Amino acid sequence: MAVVGYRNGIAILQLIVFPIVLVAAIFIWKRTGWRVGSKIWRYAVTLSLIRIAGSISSLLTISNDSYNIKVAVVVCQLIGIAPLLLTFIGLLRQIDVEKRMPPRPMALLTLVTIIALILGIAGVSSSNGEGGTYRPGKLAKVAMGIFLAVFVIFVLLSGWLFHELSFSLRRFQKKLFLAIALSVPLLAVRLVYSAISDYTTLSAFALNGNTTIYLCMDVLEEIIAMGITMALGISAILETDFVRLTPVTQEDTEPKPMAARVSSSV
């Protein structure tokens, strides 16, 4: 009879939490607008789907320990950093209704993160592990370096934007900034865990290393950070002063509060 292990229990936890995150992210995405919101909230949806798929794959290994399922578990576990970072970069877009941040550098930051994701996937595919185990190669290490740089830039941008808007913050912006402030330490721990795993040979931080360290420095960080972000995100979009972003056009380049949109359409 198959036995449910410690890691399988973590997979069950993720399978309970991330469908809730998925529903919350879709709700926020719908409220902010499918078109403009896609640049922000689709990444939270993507992360949730990756974690759900990874959890299912992990549970499948209980009764079917095939190589393909192992690869699916590894890929889902390792590629979550990109959509996690992009979710929080997207929060800055949601906050910046006055277009203080230049759009091209933000688009470039997103593109660089996606390139790192591709490098990470390629690094998994070209893993130089022995006996079916995963050991990060050069591509994976390069990808990790890019993720660390993106995180530092994100923190600096967050501080700069808060300084720029500090005297004119709306209630919904304060809540989104709070989500960032509370999540940054968690993201830092999550990235440190992955960096140690990629750049050192410490067995405790290997892919199948110490499960408690994996739970406390990886899984719980993501769960808590996304839980905070979804809760404050929903609260922010329900604020009366919430500004719904609109595509930039020649006729109308100024985003309008939701209340104003409703009144103007009556």
Side-chain angles (χ1 to χ4, degrees):
M1 181 177 178
V3 178
V4 178
Y6 192 174
R7 290 221 169 215
N8 300 130
I10 294 175
I12 292 172
L13 173 63
Q14 291 176 308
L15 199 55
I16 293 171
V17 172
F18 279 100
I20 300 173
V21 174
L22 175 63
V23 172
I26 292 174
F27 173 76
I28 298 172
W29 187 356
K30 180 180 178 182
R31 291 283 302 221
T32 56
W34 293 115
R35 182 179 174 185
V36 178
S38 67
K39 296 181 180 181
I40 303 167
W41 300 102
R42 66 182 175 187
Y43 300 114
V45 170
T46 301
L47 175 64
S48 301
L49 293 174
I50 289 172
R51 291 296 174 244
I52 291 169
S55 299
I56 293 173
S57 299
S58 180
L59 293 176
L60 287 176
T61 61
I62 297 174
S63 57
N64 184 1
D65 201 21
S66 71
Y67 175 76
N68 289 335
I69 294 179
K70 285 182 177 180
V71 170
V73 173
V74 171
V75 170
C76 290
Q77 185 170 328
L78 294 176
I79 66 174
I81 293 178
L84 180 65
L85 287 175
L86 288 170
T87 296
F88 287 92
I89 292 172
L91 283 185
L92 294 181
R93 293 178 182 270
Q94 189 73 70
I95 291 169
D96 188 24
V97 295
E98 297 176 359
K99 310 295 183 185
R100 298 289 183 92
M101 296 185 299
R104 287 186 179 180
M106 290 299 295
L108 180 61
L109 188 62
T110 299
L111 178 60
V112 167
T113 307
I114 293 173
I115 290 173
L117 170 62
I118 295 171
L119 291 175
I121 294 173
V124 173
S125 302
S126 60
S127 168
N128 60 349
E130 298 176 358
T133 60
Y134 169 78
R135 292 181 182 176
K138 291 182 179 179
L139 288 178
K141 292 178 180 179
V142 170
M144 190 66 238
I146 294 174
F147 288 139
L148 291 171
V150 167
F151 175 70
V152 171
I153 293 171
F154 160 72
V155 172
L156 293 175
L157 280 174
S158 299
W160 175 82
L161 185 60
F162 181 80
H163 173 74
E164 287 291 306
L165 301 176
S166 57
F167 295 106
S168 60
L169 282 173
R170 297 176 170 91
R171 289 191 299 275
F172 88 92
Q173 291 172 317
K174 291 178 181 179
K175 290 184 176 181
L176 295 180
F177 267 128
L178 180 60
I180 290 174
L182 294 176
S183 298
V184 160
L186 299 168
L187 296 179
V189 173
R190 171 69 178 88
L191 287 168
V192 166
Y193 173 84
S194 294
I196 293 174
S197 177
D198 282 353
Y199 295 131
T200 73
T201 57
L202 296 175
S203 59
F205 291 87
L207 187 63
N208 293 311
N210 187 292
T211 306
T212 300
I213 292 178
Y214 165 64
L215 172 65
C216 295
M217 293 187 68
D218 184 321
V219 177
L220 290 180
E221 269 62 31
E222 285 190 356
I223 288 175
I224 296 171
M226 293 306 295
I228 290 171
T229 302
M230 293 302 106
L232 288 173
I234 291 174
S235 179
I237 65 171
L238 295 178
E239 287 286 353
T240 56
D241 67 349
F242 176 70
V243 175
R244 185 169 177 172
L245 299 174
T246 58
V248 178
T249 63
Q250 292 181 349
E251 294 78 19
D252 183 11
T253 59
E254 182 68 21
K256 300 177 182 179
M258 291 183 69
R261 288 176 175 275
V262 173
S263 61
S264 64
S265 62
V266 175

